[in-house]
Amino acid sequence: TKDFKDSLEAYLKAAELAPDDQAIQNDTGLIYLYHGRSCGEDPRKALPFFLRTLALVDEDGQEPTIGYRDSLQNLARYYHEVEPDPEKVIEYADRRNDPEFYNGLKPPLNVFCREAAADRQWAEQQRKRK
């Protein structure tokens, strides 16, 4: 819907019903990250959904999907804009744009992410200022 509050309610229900779905977990976090403020929500509520997506692969052993790939990108953005942490931005942006990672996905999701690269560039600048 174009109403983010309605969308958020639907995605929260979907995330509850499909806790092992990488795409749904990522997309629920995405609404909080990019639209949370517009519907009166704290964008920090995005973090558990992105971390859940990563845990499905990194801890539970699922094959990574586009939801996992996008969560890496969204975590780079999260730690750039919501809770600034240059080290975490670099970690997630590097993982997102690692060709060995994305070329190994089925289907191959070999798309370099300019947004993650831009977040990484910001992080490098922050490091130099310290």
Side-chain angles (χ1 to χ4, degrees), residues 57-100:
V57 173
D58 299 341
E59 296 170 18
D60 297 350
Q62 284 188 11
E63 288 292 319
T65 67
I66 194 168
Y68 181 86
R69 181 198 72 180
D70 290 352
S71 280
L72 292 170
Q73 173 183 337
N74 293 328
L75 281 163
R77 179 57 45 98
Y78 178 90
Y79 284 114
H80 176 176
E81 294 183 351
V82 179
E83 292 184 42
D85 185 330
E87 298 305 317
K88 288 184 179 179
V89 170
I90 290 168
E91 173 190 350
Y92 292 118
D94 284 353
R95 286 175 64 187
R96 167 57 184 87
N97 281 334
D98 178 359
E100 289 184 27

Side-chain angles (χ1 to χ4, degrees), residues 116-129:
D119 289 332
R120 189 185 196 294
Q121 185 177 21
W122 168 85
E124 285 294 337
Q125 291 170 348
Q126 298 305 304
R127 273 182 163 176
K128 289 177 183 175
R129 290 183 181 163

